[in-house]
Amino acid sequence: MNRTPDTARVSSVPVIPVVFGPVPPRPAHAPFPDVVTQGFAATLTAPRWARRHAAAVLADWGVGELEPVVVQIVSELVANAASRPVVGGPVPYVVRLTLRLLPHRVSVEVFDPDQAAPVLTQAADDDERGRGLAIVRALSCGLGVVPMADGKLVVAQVRRPTRIGGIR
């Protein structure tokens, strides 16, 4: 069943395009910005599309060596955001992924309309869930939550490798 957004309904969630499939290719001559934001429908496939998008962005930025770490963080944060129940919101709601290329770091920011902060738990050996934030915390050099009026923003940062003589 295809659902179209009800434009007459007022929502506190920012209006952003929702991706249900692959991100369209960017023209080769267009400069690639240092901040890239993409919305994904909060479905079971959101983490997969977000991983692909993040890998393409990192390659365009020339920091492909960070792909294994950043893509894992993107996957965990988007999966957490897409699995949150949002009462009274559109189904599926939008999970917004923002990637920022900073001088010494890459920032991964995931917004979702659930205001409840994620909880870092200690999963038992046989638990099937509960390891995502621990993985993000282990892989990142910074992890935080920014409460917002219409949801929350979870931010994780990864250090960029440097070469002798300057920033890469």
Side-chain angles (χ1 to χ4, degrees):
M1 173 172 136
N2 277 342
R3 294 191 65 201
T4 57
D6 181 4
T7 55
R9 186 174 55 187
V10 176
S11 173
S12 64
V13 177
V15 178
I16 55 176
V18 177
V19 172
F20 288 95
V23 177
R26 183 180 49 81
H29 64 280
F32 208 73
D34 290 346
V35 178
V36 178
T37 299
Q38 183 65 56
F40 298 92
T43 64
L44 293 175
T45 60
R48 176 177 23 151
W49 295 118
R51 286 191 303 267
R52 289 182 180 184
H53 173 68
V57 169
L58 294 170
D60 281 346
W61 281 342
V63 291
E65 67 275 6
L66 295 178
E67 182 180 336
V69 172
V70 172
V71 165
Q72 183 67 45
I73 290 171
V74 165
S75 186
E76 297 296 343
L77 294 181
V78 170
N80 283 354
S83 67
R84 308 284 259 182
V86 176
V87 179
V91 179
Y93 55 92
V94 175
V95 173
R96 185 177 65 225
L97 169 65
T98 300
L99 299 170
R100 293 180 195 273
L101 183 64
L102 303 171
H104 300 284
R105 299 173 186 213
V106 171
S107 181
V108 177
E109 305 167 9
V110 177
F111 170 86
D112 72 81
D114 182 16
Q115 292 183 327
V119 178
L120 184 62
T121 60
Q122 179 68 40
D125 291 342
D126 59 347
D127 285 346
E128 293 182 12
R129 301 177 54 96
R131 291 179 181 82
L133 282 179
I135 291 170
V136 171
R137 189 168 142 200
L139 294 175
S140 66
C141 63
L143 174 63
V145 178
V146 180
M148 304 176 83
D150 54 352
K152 70 175 168 300
L153 186 68
V154 180
V155 180
Q157 294 187 342
V158 176
R159 282 191 182 90
R160 293 174 59 184
T162 57
R163 289 187 179 170
I164 296 174
I167 299 172
R168 186 147 104 176

